[in-house]
Amino acid sequence: MFDKVLIANRGEIALRIQRACREIGIATVAVHSTADADAMHVRLADESVCIGPPPAAESYLNIPRLLAACEITGADAIHPGYGFLSENARFAEILEEHGITFIGPTSEHIRVMGDKIEAKETAKRLGIPVVPGSDGAITNEAQAQRVAKQMGFPVLVKAAAGGGGRGMKVARSAEELDIAIKTARSEAKAAFGDDSVYLEKYLSKPRHIEIQVFGDGKGNAIHLGERDCSLQRRHQKVWEEAPSPALNAEQRKSIGSTVARAMQKLKYRGAGTVEFLYEDGEFFFIEMNTRLQVEHPVTEMITGLDLVIEQIRIASGAPLSLTQDEVTLSGHAIECRINAENARTFMPSPGTITYWHPPGGLGVRVDSGVYQGYRIPPFYDSLIGKLIVHGKNRNECLMRLKRCLSEFVIDGIETTIPLFVDLVQQPDIANGIYDIHWLEKFLQKP
Ligand code: ADP
């Protein structure tokens, strides 16, 4: 097992990883930009190193500085969290070269899954059903028109290097397609430095359902059921739950085993999430994330497993801590992403938190790195915390969530809590009847 882990991240996830390390007796190193000197993950770490000025490129994304921090502190492994360098194959490779363990999959698997075109090819080869689309990248307009005509409009133009919903454009007709390709290309070029795009059939009413997997890198792999992340705004998740209100036990077992078998064939190592769109009883692979997800706590709440500890154990060479038969799913969990944003306009609202009163009680978990008097810097993602609630069943979970939202007080800044207060009152939400477009439509209502 490792003696000391450096956490190459900030905010709630840095703290989350620190907690796991502390429970299993591993010392932690926090790294931070000058803007985060007062952050909770820095205060609670065993050691901390300032790695640069506020812009992420000069701090959290700066590989030489992270390596220097490892050298100064003698950390033997790095946990990348999510975002930042967590899906950077080159980073994983550099760490391998320096004898520092990257807590995650091999650089090769990160690379394959990081290119969505290659990821789809790989998924297909491993027996996972994929969304119909162009075989590979679009090379010219005539080819794109041909493929789109075959599939039928609407189609979705997606960036091969895509992430965070960027470089994605819908085309409803042949005329729209040329423009969609041009805009998706330029957006992708600007965001990822790679303008390759591909086409996918645009599904009109799917749910986003993803399977959590774990592999030991030696051919053993298990799944931990699914999460339903259909409530999205601009292709970004807002609310996640497990299990999905749309699946029954048989469907869960069937897609779960398909994915676990694929991961066994791939000899996948560590935590991963295989994302699907689900429509009319059918699953279609869209991508795989080779890291811990923001929404991992809902899986933890229903499995009782600490996914970060599991990641650390596997990275240190230990086998999976349980077999597929030992995985039991119990009750229901919902996570609300609390952002420092106006709940209607979603304008960021950085500033000082003048009052902070999180909810508590049975089945309630708040993952956050903020505190009363904390000043939210304007440089990073606006996620300031996650409220996760567990109940015996979905109904109890919803009632508990409603109660928690009424207790939660955050003053001094605007947050997305009022949106969730609204959502829990909607009959469609209560009945679990929503697809990936539901929230956008709801938000358009006056
Ligand atoms: P990113 O990596 O940018 O997050 P994804 O491929 O994971 O992109 O897709 C993000 C979201 O975009 C999905 O959860 C879904 O809401 C929507 N989406 C992606 N592909 C399709 C599709 N073929 N049809 C309809 N919606 C899609």
Side-chain angles (χ1 to χ4, degrees), residues 313-325:
R313 289 185 64 263
I314 291 169
S316 77
L320 295 172
S321 66
L322 75 179
T323 63
Q324 190 67 59
D325 289 343

Side-chain angles (χ1 to χ4, degrees), residues 116 131 156 158 162-166 168 200-203 208 232 235 275 277 286-287 436:
K116 294 180 153 198
V131 189
L156 191 60
K158 292 174 87 169
R166 280 168 304 175
M168 219 187 282
E200 233 167 45
K201 171 109 196 109
Y202 183 69
L203 301 179
H208 174 116
Q232 301 180 350
H235 306 302
E275 298 192 334
L277 293 179
I286 45 171
E287 68 161 343
I436 60 165

